[in-house]
Amino acid sequence: MVLDEIDRKILDLLQVEGRITNLELAERIGLSSAPCMRRVRALEDAGVISCYAALVDPARVGLGFDVIVEVRLKQQNRDSFARFEKKVIDLPEVVECCMIAGDWDYALRVVSSDLARYQSFILDRLMHRDTDIASYRTTIILRKVKSTTKIDTSLF
């Protein structure tokens, strides 16, 4: 999909104000309501807008222990990757999982209430028997300098 300046304005506003009404969105970007709605629907249909969500602050709901876990699998093949990914998808503590290049195979972002709960997660859930994991490394996030879900439209 080729995006024009109006599409970019729509995306900029919706990424910051996802609950904005179509009428207000249309007014702020300089369109009437019907064409604005058609453009939003086209962006949704094309998958440019993949979903709408309320973002929860983990620390404010008691999950302030935030870590990055790098994982190396015993074997680097499709079956091992598939088994690991299937397992990780079912772990609610894992809020992000990326296959990465380099010394490690995956980087996970894991939230927990505290160190003891995190240790339980590692021992009882992530490293549970029949695992494909050869090793892992934990990095504790002390402070987030930047954390955003907004993709700047100037990049595309």
Side-chain angles (χ1 to χ4, degrees):
M1 178 175 190
V2 177
L3 303 177
D4 63 14
E5 192 59 34
I6 293 173
D7 293 326
R8 286 182 172 83
K9 287 179 181 178
I10 290 170
L11 292 171
D12 279 336
L13 281 168
L14 286 177
Q15 286 185 89
V16 176
E17 300 178 50
R19 294 183 68 181
I20 192 172
T21 66
N22 182 63
L23 182 59
E24 187 176 348
L25 178 62
E27 287 174 1
R28 290 185 46 193
I29 63 170
L31 282 180
S32 60
S33 185
C36 182
M37 181 59 75
R38 280 194 297 274
R39 283 179 173 264
V40 170
R41 294 280 185 252
L43 291 166
E44 292 169 348
D45 292 345
V48 174
I49 297 174
S50 60
C51 72
Y52 297 89
L55 301 177
V56 176
D57 182 337
R60 292 187 185 253
V61 294
L63 299 173
F65 192 76
D66 204 350
V67 300
I68 302 295
V69 181
E70 293 169 306
V71 174
R72 183 177 299 119
L73 300 182
K74 291 176 183 172
Q75 298 179 23
Q76 287 68 35
N77 58 52
R78 288 188 188 274
D79 290 339
S80 293
F81 294 148
R83 278 191 306 273
F84 178 77
E85 290 172 13
K86 185 175 189 281
K87 178 179 185 171
V88 166
I89 286 169
D90 293 332
L91 298 173
E93 299 90 345
V94 178
V95 295
E96 201 168 354
C97 174
C98 302
M99 179 185 267
I100 57 176
D103 292 337
W104 300 90
D105 298 315
Y106 290 90
L108 313 177
R109 185 169 149 246
V110 176
V111 294
S112 182
S113 58
D114 55 35
L115 181 60
R117 284 274 173 99
Y118 172 69
Q119 180 182 4
S120 176
F121 163 77
I122 289 292
L123 297 175
D124 300 333
R125 297 169 52 76
L126 187 66
M127 297 296 290
H128 196 256
R129 63 190 148 109
D130 302 323
T131 185
D132 287 309
I133 299 172
S135 60
Y136 71 94
R137 176 173 67 185
T138 299
T139 302
I140 298 172
I141 298 171
L142 298 176
R143 176 172 42 118
K144 290 185 182 177
V145 176
K146 180 177 181 180
S147 178
T148 184
T149 60
K150 185 177 188 286
I151 305 297
D152 193 312
T153 58
S154 70
L155 296 173
F156 51 89

